Amino acid sequence: MLPSNTCSILFVIIALSSLSSITTSHAARGLLQLPSLPKIPSLPQPTMPQLPKIPNLPTALPPLPSTIASLPTLPTTNTPLPSLPTLPSVPKMTLPPLPANPLPNMPSLPNIPTLSPPPSN
C-alpha cells in the first residue's frame, strides 16, 4: 500500500510542476509577441527648494578633552620571561608484527548479467 501511495504522490507533484511550466511558457510567448510599445515621454526633473539658513547652529565643534594625560604609564623594565618546563617523553607506539603466512585468497563473485533481454513468447 505504501509504495503505490508514494508513487501517486510523486505523480501528482510531477503533473503539477509540468502544468505550471506550460502556463509560464505560454505567458512568455504572449509577452514576446506583443506589438512594440509607444515611447514613454521623459518627465521633467523636480527642483528642490533651498533649505533656510539657521544662524543658531555652531560652525565648529569644541575640542574634545584630553584623556591621554590621565592614563597611568606602563612599566618599561625588561624582565626576563620564565623558562618553559620540560615535557616528559611519550613512549612510541609500535604495531604488532604481521603473520608469517599470507592471507588466504578471497573467492571471486559469480558473474551476474545486469541487463538481459526479456524472454520471448
Side-chain angles (χ1 to χ4, degrees):
M1 182 72 182
L2 183 63
S4 65
N5 202 6
T6 305
C7 287
S8 63
I9 291 173
L10 183 63
F11 176 74
V12 168
I13 290 172
I14 291 172
L16 288 176
S17 67
S18 65
L19 287 176
S20 68
S21 67
I22 289 172
T23 307
T24 305
S25 63
H26 279 294
R29 181 178 292 170
L31 287 175
L32 288 174
Q33 292 178 350
L34 285 177
S36 62
L37 297 175
K39 298 282 185 185
I40 298 174
S42 61
L43 297 174
Q45 296 293 328
T47 58
M48 297 293 292
Q50 293 276 339
L51 292 175
K53 300 282 185 188
I54 302 175
N56 295 342
L57 291 178
T59 57
L61 295 175
L64 295 174
S66 176
T67 59
I68 296 175
S70 64
L71 292 177
T73 58
L74 294 174
T76 58
T77 59
N78 293 335
T79 57
L81 295 174
S83 62
L84 294 174
T86 58
L87 297 174
S89 62
V90 179
K92 293 185 177 182
M93 298 294 292
T94 57
L95 295 174
L98 292 174
N101 55 351
L103 296 175
N105 290 336
M106 298 296 290
S108 63
L109 296 175
N111 190 7
I112 301 172
T114 55
L115 295 175
S116 60
S120 60
N121 293 336

